[in-house]
Amino acid sequence: MSGADQKLVEVRDLSVVFTQDGNETLAVDKISFDLAEGETLALVGESGSGKSVSALSLMQLLAYPAASHPSGSILYRGKEVIGADERTLMGIRGNEISMIFQEPMTSLNPLHTIERQVGEVLAVHRGLRAEAARARVLELLNKVGLQNAESRLGAYPHELSGGQRQRVMIAMALANEPRLLIADEPTTALDVTVQAQILKLLKSLSREMGMSMLLITHDLGIVRKMADRVCVMNKGKIVEQGETTSLFESPQHDYTQHLLNSEPKGKPLTARPDAPEVMSTDNLKVWFPIKKGVLKRTVDHVKAVDGISLKVRRGHTVGVVGESGSGKTTLGLGLLRLIESDGPIVFMGQHIEDDGWSDLRSRRADMQIVFQDPFGSLSPRLSVAQIVEEGLLVHGTDLNYDARRQRVAEALEEVGLDPATMDRYPHEFSGGQRQRIAIARAMALKPDFVVLDEPTSALDMSVQAQIVDLLRDLQQRHDLAYLFISHDLKVVRALADEVIVMRNGKVVEQGSSDQIFDDPRTDYTKALMAAAFDLETAPEGVVSS
Amino acid sequence: MRALVEKTPLGRINWEATWIGRVNKARTSPINQRRWRNFRANSRGYWAMWVFGVLFFVSLFAEFIANDKPLLVTFEGGIYFPVFVAYPETDFGGDFATEADYRDPFVQELIEEKGGTIIWPLIPYSYDTINLDLPVPAPAPPSAENWLGTDDQGRDVVARVIYGFRISVLFGLILTFFASIVGVAVGAVQGYFGGWTDLIGQRLIEIWSSVPSLYLIIIIAAVIEPTFWILLGILLLFQWVSLVGVVRAEFLRGRNLEYVRAARALGLRNIAIIFKHVLPNAMVATLTFLPFILNSSITALTALDFLGFGLPPGSPSLGELLAQGKNNLQAPWLGFTGFIVIAAMLSLLVFVGEAVRDAFDPRKTLQ
């Protein structure tokens, strides 16, 4: 990291403006940073801060001419990239600079085999064909740690797990030994255990190949683990940059301090020991039949939930953690009788497992659910008031218009939103506000039991902390019983006082939150903790890959 | 409409919560404004909509443009509106108590003798008026009296085209309306409930749509005398299928959206979920299809008329005009007129349809 002429990438005063229908939006505002050979630089910020847009401009991959650069220059090894002709750019893209994306499923073509997709990159940039290409593909797949690479050459993307797909994406990005790898939220869509493996892989690859890395993420844990230097972005500007260690130890800018302090905090509420049970189940099973043959006989079952027992009491939170596909969400839907299940479900002292849809309807007011995606769970065509009052129209038929609006206003106030905004539409709100609306919809009915299905995982870190505080506050005020489903152990620790660790539909470990977090018994739970809190990988065989 | 009269605590009407407020919100919402801009950006479709709209609007008043009854008669100080009221001939000093035939030179003389005046519409023929003073045997070529000539029964072609256009478009609109309702309903039920409902429904539709509908209609039309409404009913039996596919697909997608699952968790009835949450999404696909369904409805009627199994004999119809053109090749004005009118009408509708499709295309935004 000596003189300026040694830098791999130099960005000076870069701005990006998007023009749509005559309206201009400034996405990136005069940012400057540089990147030396072999260095890992992290761009950190919340969603909408312009970090992905900045990275895409390095390769000139934005949708021009809707996007434009009113100012700035991007020098790649001393050559100007902005305004370069298509031939030059083609030489840089994929060859000198490669990119991996967040969602490995949509980045791979579902109709092509792994061998063909990786081989294509080699054919385009290197002219490698047939045997030579095959050998190189195999070498790359082994390099990125894909197990049984040889037998997987003919596999299609859907036959691989998320982590394996991301490994294939990395193999494609590395095919031409790039000097710079741009990793845009490379692990956000992955489970914590897989995330740790992928990060470890990226780190060792960059060291081995002397490759620079531009890492885009919102997760400060990843930054601390991976990056040499950090740029903190907020609203299109770089507010602070510096060496990772010094930046984490003494953040200068207010926004950086705010980010660092925004991890979910606080202790879960502990229910009174004599609190009545709200929801309980014993040996609950949700099996989906696998049907084969002409007569569609059931040959086997997918055991999504396989014998789970739990009790949720008033003012008490049971956290359910596990990797994706472990059956957490299915458990929640099964308890609410939104999908068919097998086993006793006792709600407020009454068995509801055999109730018909119309019997259940009257109980729905008392058991509610909040979903993960605050953008998908609110109908874009209804105003906030209409969304929140929907349940009241079903359950509180005696309420007139004024009384309903009153209840809506109370519910919005309770979740920290201004009741005056109730006639606006969801798209006018941010992700965190939308999640508050979704919570208000559940709370307007004054339920006893709420299933929270990953309510924070689609949100920025600082917003997550606010939502966790809000949920805890609501629980305290109304003595609510929560079933809190999450893969994010930090959030679970802040909210749940009993934890169930699930894997493949079965309980791995169940107990009080203190016991699970401080003294995990099983290897699987230990691996989960290490991956979540320290981004450490587990020994082989304990977790999936 | 309940929301219209409901008041806020302060007693003022909360406009944002009323239907008026919602319509205004929809009109000014960014997405609808973008759609309107996209629609206008397709200037061919935009102008086609205006041309078609004006033509249709004018044809709705066909009785005032082409009629064998005068718009207005003044007679002995009184004012008569023969278009609206049937006056007996005796009112004008004639012999018969039946309705006056104003085209009869005797009646005209009666009125003019007493100093009365007759104001005729632009075209003094109705669709069924036979011009008895043709200088040549029917079909007569275009002349100053009959601008596009007459058909083989001596009826004025311009008048028949105006009435025929109106009946075609009205028939198409009504058929499209009912076909959409049935099609959306069937598609909604299949898509929302899925599973066996969907499977059985799809197979039934496949069987139904492989029935050769034109022959079936011809057979039915041979048994019962078709009127406007019977024809509409028969064509409706086959026309509804065209929308099922798109609506079903939208519902299959929509029923798994999170806000639909949230509505289920709130305990909403299926019917409420369908109308409130899923149907609005499916309406975009439906609206995009409508102009094309209208087109095929009009074509279906024209085809039946051409074959002689359509509207009752004597009705003004474009298909019948084409048939006459085919039977009277020595009178090319019949075939040309029919062809040009039908081609222009269908082209205009296709242009409008293309513009509507552009308007709802989410990928059109960057242009």
Side-chain angles (χ1 to χ4, degrees):
Chain A
M1 280 173 242
S2 48
D5 51 330
Q6 298 282 306
K7 299 288 186 197
L8 185 67
V9 178
E10 275 182 88
V11 176
R12 292 281 164 266
D13 288 335
L14 177 73
S15 299
V16 182
V17 164
F18 288 101
T19 314
Q20 191 186 3
D21 303 330
N23 299 322
E24 294 197 342
T25 322
L26 185 64
V28 174
D29 189 10
K30 293 205 170 139
I31 60 164
S32 304
F33 63 88
D34 45 44
L35 186 59
E37 296 263 5
E39 192 185 29
T40 300
L41 175 73
L43 284 181
V44 199
E46 306 197 319
S47 51
S49 60
K51 47 192 197 306
S52 289
V53 174
S54 313
L56 287 169
S57 5
L58 290 190
M59 291 168 86
Q60 296 285 292
L61 277 175
L62 296 170
Y64 302 99
S68 57
H69 303 290
S71 75
S73 80
I74 300 169
L75 297 179
Y76 175 75
R77 303 177 81 193
K79 274 183 291 181
E80 181 61 51
V81 175
I82 294 179
D85 59 89
E86 198 63 17
R87 272 186 77 86
T88 320
L89 290 175
M90 289 289 272
I92 294 177
R93 287 177 193 153
N95 223 355
E96 304 264 326
I97 308 180
S98 286
M99 192 152 182
I100 51 176
F101 297 93
Q102 176 173 347
E103 183 45 74
M105 189 70 208
T106 48
S107 313
L108 290 172
N109 186 332
L111 299 176
H112 290 175
T113 61
I114 301 308
E115 183 184 0
R116 186 160 168 201
Q117 306 207 29
V118 184
E120 197 177 11
V121 186
L122 295 169
V124 169
H125 289 283
R126 301 247 160 144
L128 284 182
R129 309 254 169 228
E131 278 311 305
R134 191 185 172 90
R136 175 81 179 128
V137 169
L138 205 58
E139 187 193 331
L140 283 166
L141 292 179
N142 282 322
K143 199 171 188 172
V144 297
L146 189 72
Q147 286 157 353
N148 310 326
E150 187 143 22
S151 62
R152 287 223 164 94
L153 281 176
Y156 288 90
H158 70 90
E159 298 175 71
L160 304 179
S161 72
Q164 288 166 339
R165 283 196 287 265
Q166 196 60 290
R167 283 177 198 270
V168 173
M169 281 298 298
I170 294 171
M172 284 170 72
L174 295 182
N176 296 304
E177 291 171 359
R179 286 162 175 278
L180 171 63
L181 179 69
I182 301 176
D184 188 354
E185 306 263 9
T187 57
T188 308
L190 305 174
D191 283 318
V192 278
T193 50
V194 183
Q195 164 171 309
Q197 294 164 10
I198 295 288
L199 290 176
K200 189 179 168 194
L201 171 71
L202 283 175
K203 192 158 186 162
S204 69
L205 285 172
S206 88
R207 201 179 302 130
E208 211 173 286
M209 299 168 65
M211 181 177 65
S212 304
M213 213 161 28
L214 182 62
L215 183 69
I216 298 161
T217 183
H218 66 274
D219 189 334
L220 291 166
I222 295 178
V223 175
R224 198 195 298 245
K225 184 97 184 164
M226 302 281 292
D228 302 317
R229 286 194 306 126
V230 191
C231 295
V232 181
M233 285 193 78
N234 183 28
K235 293 177 184 152
K237 289 194 172 78
I238 292 185
V239 294
E240 187 168 359
Q241 55 179 312
E243 303 286 325
T244 307
T245 39
S246 62
L247 188 127
F248 272 85
E249 270 162 26
S250 56
Q252 300 299 315
H253 195 273
D254 290 346
Y255 181 72
T256 317
Q257 290 167 0
H258 166 71
L259 268 188
L260 286 171
N261 291 329
S262 60
E263 292 211 336
K265 284 187 295 282
K267 287 307 272 175
L269 302 166
T270 312
R272 282 171 282 119
D274 60 334
E277 263 175 33
V278 174
M279 174 67 91
S280 69
T281 183
D282 187 38
N283 199 16
L284 187 80
K285 287 176 184 155
V286 181
W287 289 9
F288 298 113
I290 303 171
K291 292 179 177 172
K292 282 236 172 89
V294 187
L295 296 173
K296 296 276 173 217
R297 274 180 308 129
T298 303
V299 291
D300 201 356
H301 290 91
V302 177
K303 296 171 181 172
V305 174
D306 195 16
I308 300 276
S309 307
L310 59 84
K311 287 188 179 70
V312 195
R313 286 177 292 143
R314 269 201 181 287
H316 182 85
T317 304
V318 174
V320 183
V321 299
E323 299 174 313
S324 56
S326 60
K328 319 184 286 287
T329 299
T330 315
L331 171 67
L333 295 176
L335 281 180
L336 293 187
R337 295 281 329 271
L338 287 169
I339 50 176
E340 285 303 313
S341 56
D342 185 26
I345 302 170
V346 183
F347 177 64
M348 305 292 278
Q350 278 171 313
H351 279 266
I352 60 166
E353 67 268 16
D354 294 321
D355 281 2
W357 189 251
S358 49
D359 294 328
L360 278 172
R361 184 175 298 126
S362 56
R363 293 193 201 287
R364 293 247 172 253
D366 300 326
M367 44 191 212
Q368 273 303 305
I369 183 163
V370 175
F371 291 101
Q372 170 177 0
D373 177 11
F375 291 89
S377 63
L378 305 178
S379 172
R381 285 163 216 273
L382 299 181
S383 71
V384 172
Q386 287 171 319
I387 288 170
V388 177
E389 78 173 4
E390 188 153 44
L392 297 175
L393 288 172
V394 180
H395 297 289
T397 35
D398 52 328
L399 292 176
N400 67 12
Y401 179 75
D402 285 338
R404 281 202 312 272
R405 281 183 79 86
Q406 189 60 38
R407 280 277 285 273
V408 170
E410 280 166 21
L412 288 177
E413 216 157 318
E414 206 160 32
V415 299
L417 287 173
D418 181 6
T421 59
M422 69 163 83
D423 290 312
R424 299 218 194 131
Y425 284 77
H427 68 85
E428 297 172 56
F429 295 85
S430 69
Q433 287 172 319
R434 293 176 61 124
Q435 196 59 284
R436 284 171 193 267
I437 296 169
I439 295 171
R441 168 172 58 190
M443 295 304 164
L445 290 169
K446 304 196 186 303
D448 300 302
F449 174 67
V450 184
V451 173
L452 302 157
D453 186 4
E454 308 250 14
T456 58
S457 57
L459 304 174
D460 282 322
M461 194 74 80
S462 60
V463 183
Q464 283 190 14
Q466 295 164 14
I467 295 289
V468 168
D469 289 342
L470 168 69
L471 288 171
R472 195 188 295 122
D473 181 44
L474 287 170
Q475 180 169 41
Q476 192 163 27
R477 234 184 296 165
H478 300 295
D479 218 9
L480 292 169
Y482 284 158
L483 183 76
F484 189 85
I485 298 166
S486 183
H487 68 270
D488 189 342
L489 294 171
K490 289 180 189 133
V491 181
V492 173
R493 183 162 64 178
L495 208 57
D497 40 8
E498 192 189 324
V499 175
I500 298 175
V501 181
M502 276 182 79
R503 190 186 192 188
N504 299 334
K506 288 195 165 67
V507 175
V508 176
E509 204 166 339
Q510 185 165 6
S512 80
S513 154
D514 292 339
Q515 183 254 308
I516 299 257
F517 281 105
D518 298 338
D519 179 25
R521 301 262 162 79
T522 60
D523 287 346
Y524 181 73
T525 315
K526 281 178 193 159
L528 213 56
M529 299 293 157
F533 296 112
D534 308 317
L535 299 172
E536 288 298 342
T537 51
E540 208 150 296
V542 178
V543 293
S544 51
S545 59
Chain B
M1 296 307 281
R2 191 174 35 160
L4 250 184
V5 288
E6 283 174 332
K7 306 269 179 69
T8 58
L10 289 170
R12 278 193 312 234
I13 294 174
N14 181 355
W15 289 109
E16 285 201 347
T18 64
W19 287 100
I20 297 168
R22 276 189 221 172
V23 168
N24 196 43
K25 196 103 196 175
R27 196 175 58 80
T28 56
S29 82
I31 187 157
N32 284 340
Q33 291 205 330
R34 197 188 75 204
R35 283 171 181 162
W36 177 240
R37 269 198 307 277
N38 278 338
F39 184 80
R40 290 198 55 170
N42 186 333
S43 52
R44 189 173 62 185
Y46 181 68
W47 284 109
M49 182 193 72
W50 275 108
V51 172
F52 184 82
V54 168
L55 285 178
F56 178 58
F57 185 77
V58 167
S59 77
L60 286 178
F61 300 96
E63 276 83 1
F64 299 94
I65 298 162
N67 208 336
D68 56 359
K69 293 170 189 162
L71 293 174
L72 189 113
V73 173
T74 56
F75 182 74
E76 292 187 326
I79 297 174
Y80 299 83
F81 301 97
V83 175
F84 296 107
V85 189
Y87 301 106
E89 205 180 291
T90 47
D91 279 14
F92 304 104
D95 306 323
F96 304 112
T98 51
E99 190 183 355
D101 177 8
Y102 302 92
R103 293 188 55 79
D104 188 344
F106 173 69
V107 175
Q108 290 179 9
E109 256 171 50
L110 275 177
I111 294 170
E112 274 156 17
E113 257 175 23
K114 298 272 171 73
T117 49
I118 303 175
I119 298 175
W120 285 96
L122 190 59
I123 297 148
Y125 299 94
S126 186
Y127 63 91
D128 55 355
T129 316
I130 296 169
N131 187 352
L132 299 169
D133 328 321
L134 285 176
V136 290
S143 63
E145 185 63 27
N146 301 106
W147 297 346
L148 289 174
T150 70
D151 65 5
D152 57 5
Q153 292 171 48
R155 299 174 297 199
D156 186 63
V157 173
V158 178
R160 286 188 72 76
V161 162
I162 294 173
Y163 283 90
F165 177 82
R166 178 173 74 173
I167 209 165
S168 295
V169 177
L170 279 178
F171 186 89
L173 283 175
I174 299 172
L175 181 55
T176 308
F177 178 74
F178 286 112
S180 307
I181 289 179
V182 179
V184 169
V186 173
V189 168
Q190 279 190 21
Y192 185 78
F193 293 103
W196 279 106
T197 319
D198 187 33
L199 204 69
I200 293 170
Q202 281 301 94
R203 299 296 84 77
L204 286 178
I205 284 177
E206 274 161 22
I207 295 167
W208 189 240
S209 51
S210 59
V211 170
S213 53
L214 199 58
Y215 297 115
L216 196 74
I217 294 167
I218 289 172
I219 293 167
I220 298 173
V223 179
I224 47 174
E225 173 78 3
T227 65
F228 182 89
W229 294 105
I230 289 176
L231 265 184
L232 195 80
I234 296 173
L235 282 173
L236 181 59
L237 287 180
F238 298 96
Q239 196 76 9
W240 61 270
V241 182
S242 52
L243 259 183
V244 174
V246 272
V247 176
R248 169 179 167 267
E250 284 292 328
F251 267 78
L252 280 174
R253 187 178 66 87
R255 71 182 179 138
N256 287 322
L257 291 178
E258 267 194 355
Y259 61 81
V260 174
R261 279 165 56 188
R264 268 202 198 141
L266 283 171
L268 256 71
R269 285 163 203 278
N270 284 329
I271 196 90
I273 296 177
I274 287 179
F275 274 104
K276 203 163 169 185
H277 293 289
V278 199
L279 191 62
N281 288 322
M283 285 322 284
V284 169
T286 310
L287 282 176
T288 313
F289 253 69
L290 280 191
F292 301 104
I293 293 179
L294 180 57
N295 238 350
S296 71
S297 303
I298 292 175
T299 319
L301 178 70
T302 309
L304 284 181
D305 281 341
F306 178 76
L307 295 171
F309 297 102
L311 294 168
S315 314
S317 114
L318 299 175
E320 195 241 341
L321 186 63
L322 282 184
Q324 287 209 16
K326 175 178 154 269
N327 295 334
N328 299 285
L329 289 176
Q330 82 283 8
W333 55 89
L334 294 174
F336 278 124
T337 308
F339 167 72
I340 290 170
V341 170
I342 292 170
M345 173 171 65
L346 297 182
S347 305
L348 285 175
L349 281 173
V350 169
F351 294 155
V352 176
E354 282 175 348
V356 172
R357 196 189 54 203
D358 284 358
F360 286 112
D361 185 353
R363 282 166 300 182
K364 275 261 175 200
T365 49
L366 288 173
Q367 289 177 7

